[in-house]
């Protein structure tokens, strides 16, 4: 994964850009299954023995945006007799996606954040496998964010079009993930623990999750296909990523203030808060970092292209034009999965002069904002961060960096 670099003439802003990208990528790194597994499994001796039971066959169902990397990580430690990976489009290596197979693993991709025909087709395929499991098997579910859209079989009385309409309407309204998943469960035959009720009654089921929801509620993560009813373990979450970012920022010489690891305001309200933090920070002459984690909400207006993090970044850039700071600054808002909304960008990075550059290129920032069209305008001024799929997903990270105050 090669971080995107902005071409900036100002050395101070160039240094800030380097710092802010490294901080974000550190938060991503400590949330990857490879990193999480090292710490998790060394403290789970009894559990490791259960998963290594020679009298049981291990069937692994890896679901979500981090499914591929979670599957590889699990296979390094345990025997996989059969496995199924169901993840988002472009989250598998191209050769594996084309083959649909990786050793004992079936590998499939479907749509996110709104289900499509492949979501249902491949969900039925994995269900056929799961229904064959019996007393000599055990099921291990590797769960991550995005599973709600990827794993879907409509409940009796509903069809795929009903589910698509529901998801589109929920997303446009800008609801939080708890509210969205509560509605999704009503239309689904596999969410809210319904999956387990269809399987062999004596089947032992384990779930290992990387949480992308506030509070790590297993009722919400991927709409709970295997909860309640399985032994459930949280392997990683946003709080751990924020702590790692905080530690790195301090090592870079910044004073750090972590505001929240459960932020759920709208992109608009978030931008207003960021400006308030900027103004408050300007009273302190030292280098500073403001750190926020959570999940922004963002109602969709018009037919533009963008995501909640990009909109937050654009709003901060617009609002910053009305204030004066005696220092340089940069603001980042990005999704740890490497995608923001239906785009290929993780999010946006804005600073002084962004709006001026947009206007010089003929853009009207307010007009584009009102059409939810943040992606093209940010891209045109090199204010997007591109990481590609990161192999994990612990929600959104927001970072505000400020240089030392000028004399």
């Amino acid at each position: 994964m090669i971080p995107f670099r902005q071409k900036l003439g100002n050395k101070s802003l160039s240094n800030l850009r380097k710092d802010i990208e490294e901080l974000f990528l550190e938060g991503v790194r400590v949330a990857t299954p490879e990193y999480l597994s090292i710490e998790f499994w060394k403290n789970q001796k009894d559990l490791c023995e259960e998963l290594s039971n020679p009298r049981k066959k291990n069937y692994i169902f890896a679901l979500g945006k981090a499914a591929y990397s979670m599957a590889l990580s699990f296979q390094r430690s345990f025997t996989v007799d059969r496995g199924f990976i169901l993840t988002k489009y472009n989250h598998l290596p191209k050769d594996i996606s084309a083959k649909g197979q990786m050793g004992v693993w079936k590998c499939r991709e479907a749509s996110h954040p709104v289900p499509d025909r492949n979501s249902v087709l491949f969900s039925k395929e994995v269900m056929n496998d799961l229904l064959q499991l019996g007393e000599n098997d055990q099921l291990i579910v590797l769960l991550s964010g995005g599973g709600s859209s990827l794993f879907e079989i409509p409940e009796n009385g509903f069809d795929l079009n009903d589910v698509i309409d529901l998801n589109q309407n929920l997303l446009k309204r800008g609801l939080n993930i708890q509210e969205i998943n509560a509605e999704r469960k009503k239309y689904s035959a596999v969410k809210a623990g319904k999956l387990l009720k269809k399987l062999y009654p004596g089947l032992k089921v384990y779930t290992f999750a990387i949480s992308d929801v506030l509070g790590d509620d297993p009722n919400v993560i991927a709409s709970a296909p295997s909860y309640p009813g399985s032994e459930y373990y949280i392997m990683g979450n946003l709080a751990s990523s924020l702590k790692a970012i905080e530690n790195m920022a301090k090592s870079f010489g910044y004073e750090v203030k972590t505001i929240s690891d459960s932020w759920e305001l709208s992109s608009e309200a978030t931008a207003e808060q960021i400006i308030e933090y900027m103004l408050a920070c300007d009273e302190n002459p030292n280098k500073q970092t403001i750190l926020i984690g959570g999940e922004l909400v963002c109602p969709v207006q018009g037919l533009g292209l963008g995501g909640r993090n990009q909109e937050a970044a654009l709003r901060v850039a617009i609002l910053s034009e009305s204030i004066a700071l005696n220092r340089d600054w940069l603001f980042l808002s990005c999704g740890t999965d490497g995608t923001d909304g239906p785009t290929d960008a993780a999010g946006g990075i804005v600073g002084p002069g962004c709006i001026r550059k947009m206007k010089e290129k003929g853009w009207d920032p307010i007009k584009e904002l009102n059409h939810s069209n943040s992606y093209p305008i940010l891209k045109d001024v090199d204010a997007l961060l591109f990481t590609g799929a990161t192999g994990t997903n612990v929600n959104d990270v927001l970072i505000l960096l400020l240089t030392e105050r000028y004399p």
Side-chain angles (χ1 to χ4, degrees):
M1 179 171 61
I2 301 175
F4 175 82
R5 296 292 181 206
Q6 186 178 21
K7 297 179 180 178
L8 292 168
N10 185 302
K11 185 176 180 180
S12 174
L13 287 177
S14 295
N15 291 337
L16 279 183
R17 178 76 186 216
K18 180 176 181 294
D19 285 354
I20 210 166
E21 287 187 6
E22 289 186 9
L23 291 171
F24 174 70
L25 293 174
E26 173 67 2
V28 171
R29 183 186 71 85
V30 301
T32 59
E34 293 83 357
Y35 180 89
L36 294 172
S37 293
I38 295 172
E39 292 300 313
F40 182 80
W41 292 117
K42 74 180 183 182
N43 298 316
Q44 298 287 348
K45 182 179 178 181
D46 291 343
L47 186 55
C48 288
E49 290 180 358
E50 292 179 33
L51 298 178
S52 301
N53 185 346
R55 296 185 297 275
K56 296 285 187 179
K57 298 289 186 182
N58 284 341
Y59 186 100
I60 319 301
F61 179 27
L63 171 65
K65 296 178 188 176
Y68 175 69
S69 53
M70 290 186 80
L72 292 183
S73 178
F74 186 87
Q75 192 169 31
R76 293 188 187 102
S77 299
F78 302 99
T79 298
V80 176
D81 295 287
R82 286 191 296 159
F84 198 108
I85 296 171
L86 182 53
T87 192
K88 182 179 177 178
Y89 291 127
N90 300 316
H91 278 51
L92 289 172
K94 290 184 178 179
D95 59 331
I96 293 175
S97 178
K99 293 177 183 176
Q101 196 77 25
M102 181 182 67
V104 299
W105 297 91
K106 296 178 183 177
C107 301
R108 306 288 187 264
E109 292 177 317
S111 175
H112 176 276
V114 177
D116 65 359
R117 292 180 61 187
N118 281 340
S119 303
V120 176
L121 176 66
F122 299 143
S123 296
K124 289 181 177 179
E125 184 180 9
V126 70
M127 278 301 304
N128 288 335
D129 284 356
L130 297 177
L131 291 172
Q132 297 174 24
L133 302 180
E135 60 181 351
N136 296 322
D137 302 295
Q138 53 189 8
L139 170 62
I140 295 94
V141 180
L142 306 178
L143 200 59
S144 56
S148 294
S149 172
L150 300 168
F151 184 50
E152 184 60 280
I153 299 174
E155 186 64 273
N156 290 336
F158 300 105
D159 60 21
L160 176 59
N161 289 331
D162 294 323
V163 175
I164 290 174
D165 289 344
L166 170 73
N167 279 268
Q168 290 176 335
N169 290 332
L170 292 172
L171 292 169
K172 287 179 181 178
R173 289 166 59 189
L175 302 177
N176 64 38
I177 193 62
Q178 288 85 352
E179 294 168 323
I180 290 174
N181 284 0
E183 292 302 311
R184 282 169 161 168
K185 291 175 182 179
K186 299 174 184 177
Y187 283 62
S188 177
V190 291
K191 294 174 169 49
K194 297 176 188 177
L195 164 65
L196 299 186
K197 295 177 181 178
K198 301 177 184 297
L199 306 184
Y200 174 72
L203 184 67
K204 185 72 173 181
V205 183
Y206 304 84
T207 299
F208 301 98
I210 296 178
S211 171
D212 70 327
V213 305
L214 308 184
D216 303 332
D217 186 352
N219 280 296
V220 181
I221 301 171
S223 295
S226 56
Y227 184 88
S230 66
E231 289 194 19
Y232 204 103
Y233 303 87
I234 303 291
M235 297 185 70
N237 58 17
L238 181 58
S240 298
S241 289
L242 294 179
K243 187 63 179 178
I245 295 172
E246 181 180 322
N247 291 338
M248 177 176 277
K250 289 178 179 177
S251 75
F252 288 173
Y254 292 91
E255 295 180 4
V256 183
K257 183 175 182 179
T258 299
I259 303 298
S260 174
D261 64 0
S262 56
W263 191 268
E264 53 181 346
L265 295 183
S266 67
S267 296
E268 181 177 9
T270 296
E272 293 170 354
Q273 287 291 307
I274 293 299
I275 296 300
E276 290 188 16
Y277 293 134
M278 280 189 196
L279 293 171
C281 287
D282 206 32
E283 300 176 5
N284 182 336
N286 300 323
K287 291 170 59 176
Q288 294 169 76
T289 298
I290 298 294
L291 186 57
I292 296 172
E295 180 164 18
L296 306 181
V297 294
C298 183
V300 177
Q301 306 174 86
L303 301 175
L305 180 63
R308 60 186 185 246
N309 289 287
Q310 292 163 61
E311 178 162 319
L314 179 56
R315 287 184 178 277
V316 167
I318 292 170
L319 292 175
S320 71
E321 291 292 283
S322 64
I323 66 172
L325 296 182
N326 195 24
R327 68 214 311 156
D328 280 328
W329 60 272
L330 277 183
F331 171 70
L332 171 151
S333 186
C334 288
T336 52
D337 62 346
T339 59
D340 182 35
T343 76
D344 58 351
I349 303 178
V350 296
C354 270
I355 298 300
R356 174 182 53 80
K357 292 178 184 178
M358 292 173 185
K359 291 179 178 178
E360 288 174 353
K361 289 177 174 286
W363 293 100
D364 180 342
I366 299 294
K367 178 182 177 181
E368 302 308 320
L369 180 64
N370 289 337
H371 288 86
S372 295
N373 199 37
S374 53
Y375 178 90
I377 188 170
L378 290 171
K379 185 176 183 181
D380 203 22
V381 295
D382 296 325
L384 293 175
L385 178 63
F386 296 95
T387 64
T390 62
T392 190
N393 181 24
V394 290
N395 233 305
D396 301 331
V397 168
L398 288 68
I399 306 172
L400 173 64
L401 294 188
L402 301 102
T403 62
E404 293 176 341
R405 194 167 61 201
Y406 299 140

